[in-house]
Amino acid sequence: MPKDSKSGLKILFVASEAAPFVKVGGLGEVMSALPKALRELGHDARVISPKYGTIDIEKYPLETEVNNIKVVSGDKDPLGILISNVLRYIDSSGGVNYFLENMEYYEKRANVYGYADDAVRWVLLAKGTLEFIRQSKWKPDVIVASDWQSGFIPNLIHTDYKDDPILSKIPIVFSIHNLKHQGMFDPKFVTEMEFYSGQAPITDFFDPRTQKLNGMRRGIMYADVVNTVSPTYAREILTEEFGDGLDKLLNERKSRLFGILNGIDTESLNPEKDKDLAANYSPKSLDKRQENKIALQKQFGLKDDKDVFVVGMVGRVTEQKGFDLVTQILGSLMDNINFQFIVLGEGDTGYRLYLEELKNKHTGRIGTHFSFDHRLARMICGGADAMLVPSRFEPSGLVQMEAMRYGCIPIVRKVGGLADSVTDLSPEKEEGTGFVFEKYDPFSLTIATIRAAELYRNKKEWEKLVKRAMTEDFSWAKSAKEYVKLFEMALRFHQEK
Ligand code: NHF
């Protein structure tokens, strides 16, 4: 049973990805940094995710935790049983990660996402995890399920397992990292799928309707507490504009909905120690950053120029990240301002082709790398002057915080976590950590970029801005304490039921 926080809570995170084992996006990153920060506060935070075939078992040797977990595929077919095992990895600081093993659904697949039976794979993760908890000696005081892939956990606990003496006692926090992804369909057409409103029982693994289950809706409906990754996004998703068809449900659950801004791992992201930088530096030795700019220009085939304004963009090359705006203005900015532009990240072919074309037109001024790479991301943060994040929506966003930590000034849209982490520059008041614009339109983005390029010409003012950005505290410690309060609240709500 739950303990008070002095003796530490036992917390189990369930997610489809967890760094450093498998990371596709920000969720994977959070699944490493947040449990670590909670452990540093004295809690026993563990993570369970699938044992994908791509996990490097040479680097992370796995041991068996529980063998032969039987997962029933559905009610109608009592013989449809899938066998899974749970493996464990304990890191050097004692942090425990669990992995649900299944040959057919995880081991044999090269990628984390993108299969026609993804929903089945996540229902298996939910059922396998719950069966594991029943058999394991270690029982969590609270479970944190993240995004649609683990939304089936709160659902099952409150339906199929509602009379289970162990599972029915465990409160569930459901964390929304991105509301847009709700299942294997476009949320725009969700009204066409009334049947899958979330009330119907979870269908058998082999029933085609399973592929239409809305894991996000179910997670929000059944969790004791729902949270998302920034206070502003928590408010935005209550509106039709950002609610992706779930705003009504979220409004019904408003008293249980909270927003906690993500943090970053300030230990591994440290310009004073980062081995992948050409030169290490601190706010006191900003001159050294120039060496990183030169190294970055070499890496991306740009013209050597320590004085030119360099702007980076790191993240998925998609509409969410604002690439439709960027591609509308980049050509004219290139013609009118002397700057260099670098893009890093995988994504949509249309944008990629456009950027490649422009790159050929402006030789030595545009650099691209269309797949994600940690080292290059940090090289951009450590060598570029500004980081563009003009997202259409942004639950939290991590790159703007990482950029600030490295003295790379964010140019962001005032939305979601970007609004909560970057303040607009006011040179008169000597305040602000970046350039913030409100409207999602090419004109507003152009103005913000020009403001940044203009200020860059004033070295003294620019340096003051860089120092302010670098000394902002985005470590997880603060957010982790807020998570503990959230867990305590979930425990109370669950007991009151
Ligand atoms: O930072 C991790 C990430 C967020 O804004 C990001 C997103 C997905 O879209 O919480 O999840």
Side-chain angles (χ1 to χ4, degrees), residues 25-27 30 147 176-178 229 262 316 320-321 393-398:
L27 170 65
V30 174
D147 276 351
I176 304 171
H177 292 258
N178 194 334
V229 285
N262 280 336
R316 280 171 292 121
Q320 182 203 328
K321 298 291 173 183
F393 72 94
E394 197 60 76
S396 158
L398 299 170

Side-chain angles (χ1 to χ4, degrees), residues 25-31 147 175-179 181 228-230 233 260-263 316 320-321 391 393-401 416-418 476 483:
L27 170 65
E29 200 61 49
V30 174
M31 285 304 116
D147 276 351
S175 278
I176 304 171
H177 292 258
N178 194 334
L179 190 69
H181 306 291
T228 183
V229 285
S230 70
Y233 191 59
I260 302 176
L261 185 65
N262 280 336
R316 280 171 292 121
Q320 182 203 328
K321 298 291 173 183
S391 306
F393 72 94
E394 197 60 76
S396 158
L398 299 170
V399 71
Q400 78 281 8
M401 298 188 234
L418 300 171
W476 265 104
Y483 268 95

Side-chain angles (χ1 to χ4, degrees), residues 33 52 110 112 141-142 145 151 166 177 182 201 228 238 275-276 291-292 329 344 408 440 442 448 475:
Y52 301 107
V112 174
D141 298 322
V142 56
I166 294 157
H177 292 258
Q182 299 178 9
T228 183
L238 295 171
K275 290 200 178 65
D276 290 322
E291 282 180 53
N292 295 327
I329 64 162
L344 170 73
C408 179
Y440 191 79
S475 62

